[in-house]
Structure formats: structure tokens, C-alpha cells
Amino acid sequence: MPRVMAISLNRLKASREVESVDLPNCHLIKGIEAGSEDIDILPNGLAFFSAGLKFPGLHSFAPDKPGGILMMDLKEEKPRARELRISRGFDLASFNPHGISTFIDNDDTVYLFVVNHPEFKNTVEIFKFEEAENSLLHLKTVKHELLPSVNDITAVGPAHFYATNDHYFSDPFLKYLETYLNLHWANVVYYSPNEVKVVAEGFDSANGINISPDNKYIYVADVLAHEIHVLEKHPNMNLTQLKVLELDTLVDNLSIDPSSGDIWVGCHPNGQKLFVYDPNNPPSSEVLRIQNILSEKPTVTTVYANNGSVLQGSSVASVYDGKLLIGTLYHRALYCEL
């Protein structure tokens, strides 16, 4: 497919094979069959999953089923994933969720931000989580010319967020050219109701984004450059780059352990297998834990790796109280006791 033809084999790590790193207490999560691209966990142990992402040229195990948001209570003895109801008036048929982020307001209201690609367009949907009803109340759809190809978001207020654009263009052919020419025009945008601005640029393909527990730093994964960028956040919400951590894998979504500040990364060891799907040689999975990213020598540990026999195309890894959730671009999801 064109997307792969446009990307050099080195950027895709096309020759890389993964050596298994197993965790002893893991099982696949029932009810997640067609992707769990992003996961965000509230302090009370409620985990949100973005499920069913579809993209031109990307494999799907449920091409005709709309996406949805699932929830799992990690405080339960045997947690199960349940789909959340979404309020009337929201177009469920075209719901195509990608990156997600939660924000808890001073009055304990929980907001869920969802990158959405209805008919492959780009919006950010803001919902209020109604815990008593296990439902989401749709509040607002955000569209903006500075959000042409949104991948992920990290919420910093009730209608305020940082978002990554994995491409500068929204048009498929121009995206292809941009990738082929390796323009490094992908960026990070700050959005608020009264100000929208580009706050970081020069990425090959900006992907996962998250914020440190002390709210001082923004972390951005550049998937095709195999890097994590550390950016300092300023009072005016602008960002300046502090450092870049280079890795040997395609880094997708970033999750933060709120207790330690460690970064947990869902990675694609071999991007070619991800884009050119072969059931006999499926995409592998890899989870990295990064400790002390601000130090001279951060510690990078491979916590889990699988050749695709169990889990294909890991895109996110999130931890809560000794439990690890691993989501995928279009496959299953794994629940592990650490």
C-alpha cells in the first residue's frame, strides 16, 4: 500500500524480529476483538478504552462495526470490559475513536476527550462521564484548521488540551507525499476555547502525547523517528524542547504512572508488519518502561514482548496498582498482574 511504499524500511524497522519477554499472569480481555488503540485510567481504577479504530489501508477485524468507548473497573476482583452508552444526538454510526484523555475538574467532574475520525475526518469530542449511569454525555465537537490529522491528546482543562498531528496535511495524497519526502512537518497544537496555536513542530510523525504528574513537562512520541521528546510547559502553554530519548522501536502511545512518573510505552517493533497485514506473520508487540526520563541516563526496560502469537500491534500500555493493561491498534487487549 502507498503508506508503506512512502516510508523507508529503516523508519519502519522492517527487518526487526522481537524476542519474547513474557509476564506470568496475563489473560486476553473478553469483548475486545478489534482494537484498543488507547487506554486512560482514572485515579479510582476506572479504565477507558478507545476501541475499533479504522484507517485507510489499516487492517480491521470488524470493518463494518462502529468504534466505541469501553470501560473496566480495575478494583473489581475479575474486571470485565463494558461498552459505555453515549448520549442521544451523537453520531454513533460514524464514531471512529483514536487517542483519548481524561480530565478531572475541581468539582470532581470527569471529562473524556476523544480524537474521532468520522468518515476519516478529524475532530476532538468532549464528553462528560456519568458514573452512576455508566454513560458519556456528549458536550462538544472541536474542529479546527490547526487540527488536520489528529492522533492523540492530553487534556489540561475542561475544554483545553494539547494534541499531536501525525501529518501536516489532511488530504491522503499530500500525506503520502509528506511521508515520502520525510518533511518533518508534524506538530503539537494547544487548544483552548479562546486560543489555538502550534506549540512544537519538526516531528516526523507525532503520535502519543502525555503530561508529567507535576504538570511541568509534556512528552511526545515520534513514531517513525523512534524517539520520545521531552518538552517543558510554560505558563502561556508554549513548549520548549528539553531533550530527546532515542529508542530502537516505533513508539506509539505514552502512559504515565502517577505514583512514580515512569512512562509506559506501547511500541511496534516492526512497522512494516503493522501496515502490510499477514495473518501468518502478524505484527508483534512490545511494552517499554522508562524511568527517570529527565536524568542523564534514563532506564529503559522491556517489560513485555510478543511475536504476535498472543497480541498483535501493541499501541498502549497503562498501569494501575500492580496491574498492566496493553492495548492494540486493531487486535485484542491484555490484562496482566505485575
Side-chain angles (χ1 to χ4, degrees):
M1 70 161 266
R3 170 80 181 152
V4 174
M5 285 161 49
I7 307 171
S8 75
L9 297 181
N10 180 45
R11 284 156 84 202
L12 286 173
K13 295 277 172 195
S15 60
R16 186 169 172 223
E17 296 295 337
V18 72
E19 288 186 27
S20 282
V21 177
D22 288 321
L23 289 168
N25 304 309
C26 294
H27 64 263
L28 292 164
I29 298 170
K30 202 177 164 194
I32 298 179
E33 315 283 341
S36 42
E37 200 277 337
D38 203 5
I39 300 169
D40 204 359
I41 307 174
L42 293 175
N44 65 3
L46 292 179
F48 295 92
F49 296 76
S50 149
L53 176 67
K54 285 161 212 67
F55 240 62
L58 196 66
H59 184 72
S60 173
F61 286 106
D64 301 321
K65 187 174 182 273
I69 301 294
L70 308 183
M71 194 184 75
M72 200 171 177
D73 186 350
L74 297 178
K75 283 213 160 81
E76 289 177 4
E77 183 121 346
K78 290 190 173 172
R80 288 177 52 226
R82 304 173 178 88
E83 186 155 358
L84 292 176
R85 288 188 308 111
I86 296 180
S87 59
R88 281 186 192 172
F90 181 74
D91 184 5
L92 291 171
S94 69
F95 193 33
N96 191 8
H98 198 166
I100 60 174
S101 179
T102 53
F103 180 80
I104 303 172
D105 214 346
N106 297 333
D107 61 1
D108 290 333
T109 302
V110 176
Y111 296 94
L112 178 70
F113 292 65
V114 182
V115 175
N116 184 20
H117 303 291
E119 289 146 11
F120 306 129
K121 296 186 178 77
N122 289 271
T123 64
V124 173
E125 312 294 346
I126 305 176
F127 299 94
K128 181 183 172 190
F129 174 51
E130 310 272 13
E131 192 173 348
E133 289 91 47
N134 266 350
S135 68
L136 295 170
L137 175 67
H138 185 246
L139 301 177
K140 184 178 183 181
T141 296
V142 174
K143 296 179 194 171
H144 197 276
E145 62 184 6
L146 290 181
L147 300 169
S149 188
V150 193
N151 187 300
D152 194 20
I153 41 176
T154 191
V156 291
H160 312 66
F161 58 84
Y162 288 98
T164 54
N165 285 301
D166 51 28
H167 290 78
Y168 178 83
F169 296 108
S170 54
D171 175 82
F173 178 70
L174 293 176
K175 277 187 180 184
Y176 165 77
L177 268 186
E178 177 185 347
T179 306
Y180 179 72
L181 297 171
N182 201 1
L183 293 178
H184 283 255
W185 283 5
N187 60 24
V188 176
V189 168
Y190 171 71
Y191 177 92
S192 72
N194 43 13
E195 184 182 32
V196 187
K197 57 186 177 181
V198 174
V199 287
E201 50 198 338
F203 300 94
D204 188 341
S205 187
N207 196 302
I209 186 169
N210 219 315
I211 190 167
S212 61
D214 61 9
N215 290 327
K216 289 182 179 174
Y217 305 100
I218 295 286
Y219 307 125
V220 178
D222 191 337
V223 62
L224 292 176
H226 325 131
E227 295 169 344
I228 295 175
H229 293 242
V230 180
L231 303 136
E232 189 174 358
K233 180 164 87 67
H234 301 288
N236 63 2
M237 307 312 272
N238 287 345
L239 304 175
T240 48
Q241 183 158 295
L242 275 188
K243 67 182 294 186
V244 178
L245 180 64
E246 295 182 6
L247 299 160
D248 188 38
T249 187
L250 282 75
V251 282
D252 200 325
N253 286 315
L254 309 175
S255 299
I256 311 300
D257 180 344
S259 57
S260 64
D262 294 352
I263 304 174
W264 289 72
V265 194
C267 304
H268 308 290
N270 183 321
Q272 184 163 10
K273 293 183 184 183
L274 195 69
F275 291 117
V276 184
Y277 186 76
D278 175 0
N280 299 313
N281 187 16
S284 43
S285 293
E286 184 174 39
V287 171
L288 301 181
R289 176 191 186 188
I290 299 165
Q291 295 165 279
N292 304 315
I293 193 161
L294 295 172
S295 69
E296 284 283 303
K297 288 194 173 169
T299 307
V300 180
T301 312
T302 304
V303 177
Y304 176 83
N306 178 262
N307 63 5
S309 59
V310 176
L311 200 66
Q312 303 177 9
S314 56
S315 55
V316 62
S318 292
V319 287
Y320 177 84
D321 194 25
K323 302 172 182 77
L324 169 66
L325 299 174
I326 308 172
T328 63
L329 201 52
Y330 46 66
H331 190 236
R332 309 283 308 267
L334 204 61
Y335 172 96
C336 301
E337 304 265 353
L338 292 171

